[in-house]
Amino acid sequence: MAASQFSAPMQPYIAERERNLEGTEEIVVLISSSMPAGALRALFAQAHEYGAEKVRFAVRGFEPRQLGRTIAGFRAHFADPASEYVLIDVDPNVFRQVEAQAVPVFLVKDKESWFESRGEISLFGAVENVRKRGPLQIGPMYTIAEPDVLDVIQKEGSKLDWAGIQAKLADKASRGEVRAQSMLPTTGETRRIRHSPRVAVQQDVVVVEQGRYKVLAPAGGLVNPLAHSKFDRTVVVINGQDASQIALARSWVKQYGAQSVDVFFVSSAEVPRLQQEIGAPVYPLYDWMSGAFGVEAVPALVRPEGQELVIQYVRPGDRP
């Protein structure tokens, strides 16, 4: 079987089998931690030489909550582990599309056509094998160590009793009084402050941009979530036992619209009654939330402005 031939379900990488390569535009290399360390080191070094914009590595998945450790294991084989020059994605779909059960697999693109070569060989050797229409496999292959992340997600999700979780939450709310974890004082002055939120991440925060794996923030680092995600909600924080604060929350909900306002309470509250009085759903405030929003007292109105939050405190008796 020639290098230009693909497994039957290969989509969208089906190639014009008889067309000659006129210049390699992109290469996707399917890899696994089961491959010899020397082979991985060599491929990463060759990708650096070949040009990172042309080469992307893909792994099939990772064990639950082990993404950071999995990627770190591969990065340990970089010439410079801190480098962002070599790109590694978690892409189970491409493994499924080529029915890959062993690696390495090289997918070489020329204009709109994709060609395949398998087996332990250098990056340059794989490209040359495709150009010559050599055998589909050259060199040994290794069984993939990582699980298919889509299978992992499905398996983990099936363990959760979603109906039971929803029933418990509904029952808790219907029983009336709910106590919040956070206890904040009543503000002593009407004022506005600006807050730049910072959140400590427990594991690597990653995204895939244009098919490429990117670490937004490493585990243990601080990140401003407003720099990476859109937040267009208005947050109201009150004491759920204070009638004047409840009235203020009701006016804010009316002003900004119930669909765009999230109301949180400190102390405790009879949830059904409070929701009816305010005209919007209400939620207990937890300590981590007050820290994230930068709220130190109540009542408070929090609105986003660029990469900052504007917090308005209103002293009892003052007009907002």
Side-chain angles (χ1 to χ4, degrees):
M1 186 177 292
S4 59
Q5 292 177 309
F6 288 88
S7 305
M10 183 59 182
Q11 293 289 347
Y13 302 111
I14 291 178
E16 300 172 19
R17 292 183 174 86
E18 302 304 321
R19 181 181 175 186
N20 291 326
L21 288 175
E22 298 175 355
T24 301
E25 293 181 347
E26 186 178 349
I27 304 169
V28 179
V29 188
L30 280 57
I31 59 174
S32 171
S33 59
S34 62
M35 293 172 57
L40 290 170
R41 282 196 297 270
L43 286 174
F44 293 148
Q46 292 156 18
H48 191 284
E49 181 179 350
Y50 203 92
E53 72 282 357
K54 289 188 175 183
V55 183
R56 176 171 68 93
F57 291 91
V59 295
R60 188 170 67 174
F62 51 90
E63 295 292 342
R65 294 168 291 279
Q66 296 297 320
L67 173 59
R69 180 177 296 180
T70 298
I71 297 300
F74 287 108
R75 294 179 67 89
H77 299 301
F78 289 6
D80 176 8
S83 171
E84 298 294 337
Y85 199 79
V86 179
L87 303 171
I88 302 178
D89 295 345
V90 177
D91 189 351
N93 285 319
V94 69
F95 282 77
R96 292 186 174 194
Q97 288 164 355
V98 300
E99 296 184 329
Q101 298 301 320
V103 290
V105 176
F106 300 84
L107 305 177
V108 182
K109 182 182 180 183
D110 171 50
K111 298 191 183 304
E112 299 305 319
S113 300
W114 286 85
F115 302 81
E116 178 181 355
S117 181
R118 301 187 175 213
E120 185 180 340
I121 190 174
S122 71
L123 190 64
F124 306 98
V127 172
E128 185 65 18
N129 183 49
V130 166
R131 288 201 176 105
K132 292 181 176 179
R133 300 297 190 272
L136 178 63
Q137 180 177 339
I138 296 180
M141 299 186 71
Y142 305 91
T143 301
I144 301 168
E146 295 76 24
D148 185 316
V149 71
L150 298 179
D151 289 339
V152 172
I153 292 172
Q154 184 177 21
K155 183 178 179 181
E156 291 292 304
S158 66
K159 296 178 182 178
L160 297 177
D161 178 12
W162 295 107
I165 293 172
Q166 290 178 333
K168 289 179 181 178
L169 291 174
D171 177 67
K172 184 176 181 180
S174 66
R175 284 188 279 112
E177 185 169 308
V178 176
R179 181 168 295 278
Q181 181 189 61
S182 189
M183 300 291 290
L184 298 177
T186 299
T187 186
E189 60 177 327
T190 297
R191 60 194 175 102
R192 281 174 174 265
I193 66 169
R194 304 183 75 88
H195 172 65
S196 181
R198 291 290 185 272
V199 177
V201 295
Q202 303 302 312
Q203 58 185 9
D204 288 350
V205 176
V206 300
V207 294
V208 177
E209 294 181 350
Q210 299 180 343
R212 294 178 174 180
Y213 170 88
K214 179 181 179 181
V215 177
L216 285 181
L222 294 176
V223 61
N224 182 348
L226 297 181
H228 303 287
S229 61
K230 182 179 180 180
F231 180 72
D232 55 5
R233 307 291 295 174
T234 295
V235 174
V236 171
V237 186
I238 62 170
N239 185 319
Q241 299 289 335
D242 188 316
S244 64
Q245 295 189 36
I246 293 173
L248 182 58
R250 184 168 57 248
S251 69
W252 277 331
V253 167
K254 185 177 181 179
Q255 178 180 353
Y256 295 105
Q259 299 301 317
S260 62
V261 177
D262 294 320
V263 181
F264 296 90
F265 63 86
V266 301
S267 183
S268 63
E270 294 180 14
V271 172
R273 178 189 62 80
L274 186 58
Q275 290 185 157
Q276 185 176 10
E277 288 189 40
I278 292 177
V282 299
Y283 312 94
L285 187 76
Y286 294 94
D287 287 339
W288 69 266
M289 294 179 183
S290 57
F293 292 133
V295 175
E296 300 176 346
V298 291
L301 176 74
V302 184
R303 305 200 72 208
E305 188 174 298
Q307 295 185 17
E308 293 184 316
L309 296 174
V310 178
I311 306 170
Q312 178 182 357
Y313 295 108
V314 179
R315 186 178 62 180
D318 288 355
R319 301 183 65 179

